[in-house]
Amino acid sequence: MRPRVGQMLASTVDTTAVIVVRCPEQELEITCGGAAMAEANGPGPAVTGTADPELMGGSLLGKRYADEGLGLELLCTKQGQGTLAVNGVPMPMKSAKPLPASD
């Protein structure tokens, strides 16, 4: 799939849903729990797939997940039990930028 900024994706194995915040101009395989995510139009796809038990680390509501090497960033809008991954590699949670000192 070629993601685009603003696109909503939903997991087919749990309740996870994300919005694409940043993405490169290339084909990517975005998965949750080891199963490909589907475009979420309306209420989202029903849970139809089976998750890989090794990829059930969870995703947290309101957190951003990013792969800086690819330039992909996702914002979690519904948390779930599946691990977000791109091209088979789990995506780490993006850390907050430190605020400047206010001396």
Side-chain angles (χ1 to χ4, degrees):
M1 131 184 5
R2 180 171 280 186
R4 61 188 185 283
V5 173
Q7 183 178 26
M8 294 187 298
L9 302 173
S11 173
T12 57
V13 296
D14 69 359
T15 58
T16 303
V18 298
I19 293 177
V20 178
V21 177
R22 227 176 7 119
C23 62
E25 292 292 323
Q26 63 184 10
E27 293 286 325
L28 299 173
E29 181 187 14
I30 301 172
T31 61
C32 180
M37 295 189 82
E39 188 161 4
N41 293 331
V47 176
T48 57
T50 55
D52 181 347
E54 293 183 19
L55 293 173
M56 296 303 284
S59 55
L60 300 174
L61 176 67
K63 299 296 180 182
R64 291 175 184 252
Y65 293 84
D67 185 320
E68 297 300 331
L70 287 175
L72 176 67
E73 186 175 329
L74 305 174
L75 172 64
C76 183
T77 57
K78 278 189 182 177
Q79 67 185 22
Q81 296 176 347
T83 299
L84 294 169
V86 60
N87 296 335
V89 179
M91 294 179 71
M93 191 182 315
K94 188 174 180 179
S95 59
K97 293 180 183 177
L99 295 173
S102 61
D103 294 340

